[in-house]
Amino acid sequence: MKVLVICTGNPGKRKEIEEMLPAAVRVLVPADLGIRSELPETGATLEENALEKARHVHQLCGLPCMADDTGLEVNALNGRPGVYSARYAGSANDPVQNMTKLLGELEGVQERGARFRTVIAFVTKEGETCFEGRVEGHIAEKPAGDGGFGYDPLFIPEGREETFAQMDPADKNAIGHRGKAMARFLEHYRSLG
Ligand code: IMP
């Protein structure tokens, strides 16, 4: 059985990634390997952060490691919060605080276009590869739905009327940023045999 370490402490992210992986892959998270410290995210881009997290864990365990870094880029905020989406309203990464701050900054703003962008880094003994996925959409006037995680209750993908948090999880994975990055990752992963 192939082992893959998903370098995240975020249960929502782990669940989505695990649901998209073949059943034959044994998934581990850093805590399963006794790695309990916070993963470093000091980069200026999603790619730098994803690579930093995957490299960090790979150096500690030597196993194939994948890490996802995701940002919400809001047009009216010139792409913010972007790479700082987790720490947007402070270091706690509290989804309610982050969404409240976002709605405050967008109060009275008509142009609410935004996108989610995910970069997945895959680090093994053989080398490093990155895969990107993005989805366009807009920011709702108020949160709706209790599925998903993070900013999902505020994000309405293009062509839809409901937020990610109102959708079936499989539907979010099929059209979302992480699903698209995962499809690219899986093509590569399967090609490794
Ligand atoms: P990070 O990639 O773990 O640094 O996450 C960045 C921020 O975006 C965190 O506040 C996450 O909760 C949030 N986030 C990451 N992925 C998603 C998603 O798929 N939907 C909504 N919010 C997300």
Side-chain angles (χ1 to χ4, degrees):
M1 194 177 223
K2 285 166 95 174
V3 172
L4 179 65
V5 184
I6 304 178
C7 306
T8 185
N10 178 331
K13 211 183 248 191
R14 178 201 176 151
K15 179 170 175 286
E16 283 187 11
I17 292 172
E18 211 167 348
E19 278 167 3
M20 290 186 264
L21 285 169
V25 176
R26 175 157 180 239
V27 170
L28 296 175
V29 290
D32 297 327
L33 299 158
I35 303 167
R36 296 186 191 278
S37 52
E38 197 147 312
L39 302 179
E41 284 192 58
T42 62
T45 64
L46 299 176
E47 187 171 60
E48 283 172 18
N49 278 345
L51 277 169
E52 190 178 19
K53 289 185 279 191
R55 273 182 198 141
H56 176 80
V57 180
H58 180 68
Q59 273 163 12
L60 293 172
C61 71
L63 295 166
C65 288
M66 68 115 81
D68 157 324
D69 207 56
T70 296
L72 176 63
E73 300 171 345
V74 180
N75 296 343
L77 303 178
N78 297 318
R80 284 190 300 116
V83 72
Y84 302 109
S85 295
R87 293 156 274 169
Y88 181 44
S91 59
N93 189 16
D94 180 304
V96 174
Q97 285 177 17
N98 282 339
M99 288 192 287
T100 303
K101 177 164 177 181
L102 181 58
L103 287 177
E105 285 211 86
L106 291 181
E107 205 175 321
V109 176
Q110 298 298 313
E111 205 290 88
R112 301 179 79 87
R115 78 199 51 76
F116 268 120
R117 210 153 61 78
T118 287
V119 174
I120 287 175
F122 183 48
V123 176
T124 68
K125 287 200 297 288
E126 282 71 41
E128 301 178 338
T129 332
C130 287
F131 310 88
E132 193 192 298
R134 58 174 75 195
V135 60
E136 299 290 331
H138 69 275
I139 304 299
E141 295 286 343
K142 57 181 174 32
D146 51 19
F149 65 98
Y151 295 88
D152 278 347
L154 280 185
F155 189 83
I156 301 178
E158 216 166 47
R160 307 295 285 254
E161 306 218 321
E162 72 274 54
T163 67
F164 269 155
Q166 292 174 297
M167 279 181 194
D168 189 73
D171 214 11
K172 178 188 172 192
N173 285 346
I175 64 168
H177 46 301
R178 183 163 296 105
K180 290 177 183 163
M182 278 298 289
R184 296 187 171 119
F185 163 74
L186 284 171
E187 194 182 329
H188 172 75
Y189 191 64
R190 289 200 171 98
S191 77
L192 301 175

